[in-house]
Amino acid sequence: MKLKSLALAACMAATASAGLADGHAKLKVGMITTLSGGGAGLGIDVRDGFMLAMKQAGDTGIEVVIEDDQRKPDIAVQLADKMIQSEKVDVMTGIIWSNLAMAVVPSTTAQGKFYLSPNAGPSALAGKGCHPNYFNVAWQNDNLHEAAGAYANTAGYRKSFILAPNYPAGKDALTGYKRQYGGELTGELFTKLGQTDYAAEIAQIRASGADSVFFFLPGGMGISFLKQYADSGIDLPVVGPAFSFDQGILQAVGAAALGVVNTSQWNKDIDNAANKAFVETFSAEYGRLPSLYASQGFDTANLLISAAAKADVKDADAFRAALKAADFASTRGDFAFGNNNHPIQNIYVREVIQEGDVFTNKIIGTALESHQDVYAADCAN
């Protein structure tokens, strides 16, 4: 499936640029994302969602250049320099991981380029470090974890053990959970980014006296932890953000994830026309259900397309205003940016279920309504 997706995206990228009436793009996009290694599934989903929207839009005059950052900050920086200096892109997008975003986004906006994040939302870029040319189309890193903390309160959990990887998004995750959670912590751990063996952490959970576990471990890290946790025989409820219970992860984990509650700003059963069409067309195009990463890539592309239809990217003020207006049909329904160019949105509670042979999620409630990140108060945009 990955090879098919790569080939299909390459074909769509060619289509996006080859059909231009005058042979020149009116807007050039540089997408740097993770297409190889342990986090490849996330980047592939963002890319595929983005390119599906481009394909559906037809001849928009937008050219997309795609590169693999290999989840390495130094590679991401090199690619960004190449895209800005040599490729002459107008807009950058695609980065999954917050440490890579911190290495690329500030220099991109400092050079007068726009950056649209389809995923990473580090706190450092949401408050005092915000920038008028930086738009996050997904969420601020803390948001889904704040919702998990709010849910833990309603579920009656009073003694949580919490863990996340030791990088910016991991730190934001635990900060977000603690901001809303009203109980005590029986343990708090930062694990190594990319870690696959969690025997030591699971032993600490077992001995902690916890009544619940909250963890943020995206991609392959979450797969490894969930399988090992299920095998351990520990019978404590697990709560987490969608990143640890998303579509790709669930297929790898299987029945061990059934019944687990997680939080997300998106799910395939959000009831609006744009989302229903997206789920249907993505499934038909790629032969798999979309993930929240795919929905974020799709929304990011449609935001960009809507802005390009209203303003020339060379007129930075007009293009910025067009982005801020967010005049597109989001898979999430109503979509609006706050003053720091991060979404104000609902965060839902989901439960892992099985539909036929497929493990997926269904919405069972709303944890936070019209939620804005706390860092917006420090943004001077």
Side-chain angles (χ1 to χ4, degrees):
M1 185 58 68
K2 289 182 180 178
L3 290 176
K4 179 183 176 183
S5 295
L6 284 167
L8 183 57
C11 176
M12 287 193 292
T15 301
S17 60
L20 304 180
D22 62 359
H24 298 285
K26 67 179 182 182
L27 189 155
K28 193 169 185 180
V29 180
M31 174 180 284
I32 299 171
T33 197
T34 305
L35 301 174
S36 61
L42 286 62
I44 288 169
D45 276 0
V46 161
R47 180 204 61 196
D48 288 355
F50 190 97
M51 295 309 296
L52 177 62
M54 295 298 302
K55 181 180 181 181
Q56 290 177 351
D59 185 1
T60 59
I62 300 175
E63 178 183 357
V64 184
V65 180
I66 303 172
E67 295 278 6
D68 177 15
D69 59 36
Q70 304 171 48
R71 208 169 78 176
K72 298 177 181 177
D74 57 334
I75 298 295
V77 169
Q78 292 172 22
L79 290 172
D81 288 343
K82 171 190 169 187
M83 286 187 170
I84 293 171
Q85 302 301 326
S86 300
E87 297 282 357
K88 306 297 184 184
V89 301
D90 304 294
V91 177
M92 296 278 287
T93 190
I95 288 177
I96 299 297
W97 308 92
S98 289
N99 53 331
L100 273 66
M102 290 305 302
V104 168
V105 173
S107 63
T108 298
T109 54
Q111 294 177 73
K113 306 298 181 181
F114 289 90
Y115 194 94
L116 308 184
S117 177
N119 197 68
S123 55
L125 300 179
K128 293 180 180 178
C130 69
H131 192 283
N133 285 0
Y134 171 70
F135 289 80
N136 189 297
V137 193
W139 23 255
Q140 191 279 316
N141 280 350
D142 300 22
N143 292 167
L144 272 58
H145 315 293
E146 290 171 329
Y151 168 78
N153 294 334
T154 64
Y157 302 148
R158 307 308 303 161
K159 295 182 178 181
S160 283
F161 190 105
I162 64 176
L163 67 158
N166 190 14
Y167 79 120
K171 294 175 182 178
D172 287 346
L174 299 193
T175 297
Y177 184 81
K178 290 186 291 185
R179 182 176 294 120
Q180 292 282 340
Y181 176 59
E184 65 176 281
L185 299 179
T186 63
E188 180 176 357
L189 292 178
F190 285 107
T191 62
K192 183 179 179 182
L193 187 64
Q195 183 173 325
T196 57
D197 184 353
Y198 293 94
E201 288 79 6
I202 290 172
Q204 291 184 58
I205 292 170
R206 189 190 301 276
S208 69
D211 66 3
S212 55
V213 177
F214 167 79
F215 77 95
F216 163 61
L217 293 166
M221 293 179 285
I223 295 170
S224 296
F225 178 82
L226 278 171
K227 285 184 173 181
Q228 292 165 40
Y229 186 82
D231 289 343
S232 74
I234 298 175
D235 192 24
L236 296 177
V238 173
V239 181
F243 320 119
S244 301
F245 301 92
D246 207 56
Q247 208 57 54
I249 288 178
L250 290 179
Q251 304 323 301
V253 173
L258 283 173
V260 172
V261 170
N262 61 96
T263 51
S264 181
Q265 89 290 2
W266 176 86
N267 200 53
K268 66 184 180 66
D269 58 354
I270 291 179
D271 189 10
N272 67 68
N275 194 48
K276 290 178 180 178
F278 163 67
V279 173
E280 180 180 347
T281 57
F282 186 96
S283 300
E285 189 78 47
Y286 299 109
R288 68 184 190 274
L289 285 173
S291 66
L292 87 161
Y293 305 105
S295 76
Q296 291 159 193
F298 188 77
D299 277 357
T300 300
N302 279 318
L303 169 67
L304 179 66
I305 291 164
S306 72
K310 287 184 172 183
D312 188 333
V313 71
K314 307 304 181 187
D315 183 346
D317 289 340
F319 193 76
R320 188 180 304 111
L323 288 171
K324 189 80 170 185
D327 186 15
F328 73 102
S330 170
T331 59
R332 282 162 267 178
D334 293 339
F335 186 100
F337 286 116
N339 63 292
N340 62 346
N341 297 342
H342 286 64
I344 299 173
Q345 60 190 341
N346 291 347
I347 312 294
Y348 301 101
V349 181
R350 312 188 305 180
E351 180 183 348
V352 179
I353 61 170
Q354 187 171 0
E355 294 178 344
D357 295 331
V358 177
F359 296 95
T360 187
N361 289 281
K362 69 174 181 180
I363 293 175
I364 59 173
T366 303
L368 298 171
E369 293 187 2
S370 300
H371 185 63
Q372 183 174 27
D373 63 274
V374 300
Y375 306 101
D378 296 323
C379 174
N381 276 353

